[in-house]
Amino acid sequence: MGFAAGAEIERLVELLAKLPGLGPRSARRAVLTLVRNREGLMDPLSTALEAVRTKVRPCRICGNLDTDETCAVCRDPRRDPALLCVVEQVADLWALERAGVFRGRYHVLGGVLSALDGIGPDELRIGALVDRAKTQGVGEVILALNATVEGQTTAHYIADRLREAGIRASGLAQGVPVGGELDYLDDGTLAAALGARRALD
Amino acid sequence: MGFAAGAEIERLVELLAKLPGLGPRSARRAVLTLVRNREGLMDPLSTALEAVRTKVRPCRICGNLDTDETCAVCRDPRRDPALLCVVEQVADLWALERAGVFRGRYHVLGGVLSALDGIGPDELRIGALVDRAKTQGVGEVILALNATVEGQTTAHYIADRLREAGIRASGLAQGVPVGGELDYLDDGTLAAALGARRALD
């Protein structure tokens, strides 16, 4: 880059700029913020990053991230083991946990089927999911995949595999988001919301 | 935050979210990107952050950041020591260096005068600037401060101090930015551009 800042700073800017949501400009601002606030920000950030780097790994059961081999969700005896929620990424698991609306356990696929990217069933954790559902007394699998073409293709593929194994699969409802205004919704969402309309009691 | 991710990850998200340009959401995405790409991103980032944390310090002459006590710009014998460019922050110095349009040396103030925030001349590196200009054979000081009220107030204050010491001060030209369209410019810029109009040869 060459902005007279020394190799160490340029290297840090370069690496920070690779994070999603940051570019070269915001990475430079981030580094200056760090240098200006050593005790309050740079030192703790360095420590926290090192802790995550050395301690955090994927849960061997569900794929969530934790410092333990088995994550906090899988360890929690209050969570219903008969209800399994399948998500694409760890970020989706976190989103559901933030909402606090699901009391079962999870299974992180690690992506979606994509012929274009050469991602087939063997690249995802689908085999492990079917095994787990069959052997761990799972009664229902909720396929909470993104409402994209790839997400829904993957959901249908998994639902077929589970049906063969005699396990019930369900998907998330589609419709108008809470607080959503019709005027701002896309045609696909409007069509889905209209198609799945429900009787008002 | 509590999104079932373990204390280490939550701490890292919390610290990353304090960086400018990042919030909790993008900090979570950043952490997941790091965990997914350990060798390519998390390990080098941890190393780079540690290097900056332990090695980088302000240049004792100009205030730029470097691993050396005297920064690369101040060490460079090809840079004109008679021409001094005063900037508010290190980020401004970097911006000028990226543009590659200035071949003199710099002086970083570390801020601007602000009665509201209790920042007077003693909180900035103004005394050091005047001393440096008087004793180091500086012929002209360019006050490249932001075109804000505080920046211009600070520039006038410094120009007065330098005039007392018999040193010439100048400021950046104001006007239409290169590629700028009049229809999108604010009134202040238009007024400045009109007032400082120049003859076309």
Side-chain angles (χ1 to χ4, degrees), chain B residues 50 67 77 79 92 101 113 131-132 144 154:
Chain B
E50 186 61 16
T67 46
R79 316 261 328 197
D92 306 324
V101 289
L113 296 174
D131 284 349
R132 192 179 163 195
T154 309

Side-chain angles (χ1 to χ4, degrees), chain A residues 3-4 8 11 15 20 28-29 32-33 36 38 43-44 46 50 52-53 56 64 67 89 91 94 98, chain B residues 3-5 8 15 20 28-29 32-33 36 38 43-44 46 49-50 52-53 56 64 67 89 91 94 98:
Chain A
F3 48 91
E8 285 77 7
R11 176 83 179 131
L15 288 165
R28 283 193 300 269
R29 286 182 57 214
L32 287 170
T33 303
R36 266 201 291 268
R38 284 176 183 265
D43 295 353
S46 187
E50 186 61 15
V52 168
R53 197 179 73 81
V56 169
N64 186 17
T67 46
Q89 303 288 0
W94 291 355
R98 280 200 306 279
Chain B
F3 47 91
E8 285 78 8
L15 288 164
R28 282 194 300 268
R29 286 182 57 214
L32 287 171
T33 303
R36 266 202 291 269
R38 283 178 183 263
D43 295 353
S46 186
L49 183 60
E50 186 61 16
V52 168
R53 196 178 75 81
V56 170
N64 187 16
T67 46
Q89 302 289 359
W94 290 357
R98 278 200 307 281

Side-chain angles (χ1 to χ4, degrees), chain B residues 78-146:
Chain B
R78 291 164 306 176
R79 316 261 328 197
D80 185 356
L83 195 56
L84 208 57
C85 181
V86 177
V87 291
E88 292 179 21
Q89 302 289 359
V90 173
D92 306 324
L93 187 163
W94 290 357
L96 284 162
E97 284 299 295
R98 278 200 307 281
V101 289
F102 179 67
R103 299 302 303 166
R105 298 195 179 169
Y106 293 96
H107 194 89
V108 180
L109 287 181
V112 282
L113 296 174
S114 166
L116 219 61
D117 300 324
I119 297 178
D122 295 339
E123 274 72 45
L124 304 175
R125 303 178 67 242
I126 294 178
L129 167 66
V130 177
D131 284 349
R132 192 179 163 195
K134 277 201 285 198
T135 58
Q136 305 293 315
V138 170
E140 180 184 354
V141 173
I142 303 171
L143 297 163
L145 305 187
N146 289 335

Side-chain angles (χ1 to χ4, degrees), chain A residues 16-196:
Chain A
L16 281 175
K18 288 185 183 173
L19 294 178
L22 287 177
R25 187 188 181 79
S26 43
R28 283 193 300 269
R29 286 182 57 214
V31 170
L32 287 170
T33 303
L34 288 171
V35 172
R36 266 201 291 268
N37 188 357
R38 284 176 183 265
E39 276 111 68
L41 198 50
M42 184 151 60
D43 295 353
L45 181 62
S46 187
T47 308
L49 182 59
E50 186 61 15
V52 168
R53 197 179 73 81
T54 51
K55 292 185 197 160
V56 169
R57 69 190 100 176
C59 170
R60 76 189 157 80
I61 298 173
C62 75
N64 186 17
L65 295 170
D66 206 309
T67 46
D68 227 309
E69 266 210 327
T70 310
C71 78
V73 176
C74 288
R75 280 199 308 273
D76 188 345
R78 290 165 305 176
R79 316 268 319 203
D80 185 356
L83 195 56
L84 207 56
C85 181
V86 177
V87 292
E88 292 179 21
Q89 303 288 0
V90 173
D92 305 323
L93 188 163
W94 291 355
L96 284 163
E97 283 301 294
R98 280 200 306 279
V101 288
F102 179 68
R103 298 303 301 165
R105 298 198 176 165
Y106 292 96
H107 194 88
V108 180
L109 286 182
V112 281
L113 296 174
S114 166
L116 218 62
D117 299 325
I119 297 177
D122 296 339
E123 274 73 44
L124 304 174
R125 302 178 68 241
I126 294 180
L129 167 65
V130 177
D131 283 348
R132 192 179 164 194
K134 276 202 285 196
T135 58
Q136 305 294 314
V138 171
E140 180 184 355
V141 173
I142 301 170
L143 297 164
L145 305 187
N146 290 335
T148 57
V149 172
E150 291 84 4
Q152 294 311 302
T153 306
T154 308
H156 280 110
Y157 173 84
I158 296 176
D160 287 345
R161 292 275 302 264
L162 290 170
R163 196 177 308 115
E164 289 163 17
I167 296 154
R168 194 153 43 105
S170 59
L172 296 180
Q174 287 198 306
V176 180
V178 174
E181 298 181 47
L182 295 202
D183 195 19
Y184 291 94
L185 288 176
D186 61 293
D187 298 349
T189 301
L190 284 176
L194 207 59

Side-chain angles (χ1 to χ4, degrees), chain B:
Chain B
M1 280 184 254
F3 47 91
E8 285 78 8
I9 287 187
E10 295 195 12
R11 176 82 178 132
L12 182 57
V13 167
E14 186 192 313
L15 288 164
L16 281 175
K18 289 184 184 172
L19 294 178
L22 285 177
R25 186 189 181 78
S26 43
R28 282 194 300 268
R29 286 182 57 214
V31 171
L32 287 171
T33 303
L34 288 170
V35 172
R36 266 202 291 269
N37 189 357
R38 283 178 183 263
E39 275 110 67
L41 199 50
M42 184 150 60
D43 295 353
L45 181 62
S46 186
T47 309
L49 183 60
E50 186 61 16
V52 168
R53 196 178 75 81
T54 51
K55 292 185 196 163
V56 170
R57 69 192 99 177
C59 170
R60 72 188 162 80
I61 299 173
C62 76
N64 187 16
L65 294 170
D66 207 308
T67 46
D68 227 309
E69 265 210 327
T70 311
C71 77
V73 175
C74 289
R75 280 199 309 272
D76 188 346
R78 291 164 306 176
R79 316 261 328 197
D80 185 356
L83 195 56
L84 208 57
C85 181
V86 177
V87 291
E88 292 179 21
Q89 302 289 359
V90 173
D92 306 324
L93 187 163
W94 290 357
L96 284 162
E97 284 299 295
R98 278 200 307 281
V101 289
F102 179 67
R103 299 302 303 166
R105 298 195 179 169
Y106 293 96
H107 194 89
V108 180
L109 287 181
V112 282
L113 296 174
S114 166
L116 219 61
D117 300 324
I119 297 178
D122 295 339
E123 274 72 45
L124 304 175
R125 303 178 67 242
I126 294 178
L129 167 66
V130 177
D131 284 349
R132 192 179 163 195
K134 277 201 285 198
T135 58
Q136 305 293 315
V138 170
E140 180 184 354
V141 173
I142 303 171
L143 297 163
L145 305 187
N146 289 335
T148 56
V149 172
E150 291 84 3
Q152 295 310 301
T153 308
T154 309
H156 280 111
Y157 173 83
I158 295 176
D160 286 347
R161 292 275 301 266
L162 289 170
R163 196 179 305 113
E164 289 164 15
I167 295 154
R168 193 154 44 104
S170 58
L172 295 181
Q174 286 197 310
V176 180
V178 174
E181 297 180 48
L182 296 200
D183 194 20
Y184 292 93
L185 287 176
D186 61 294
D187 298 350
T189 301
L190 284 175
L194 207 59
R197 65 190 176 281
R198 63 208 163 84
L200 295 172
D201 302 321

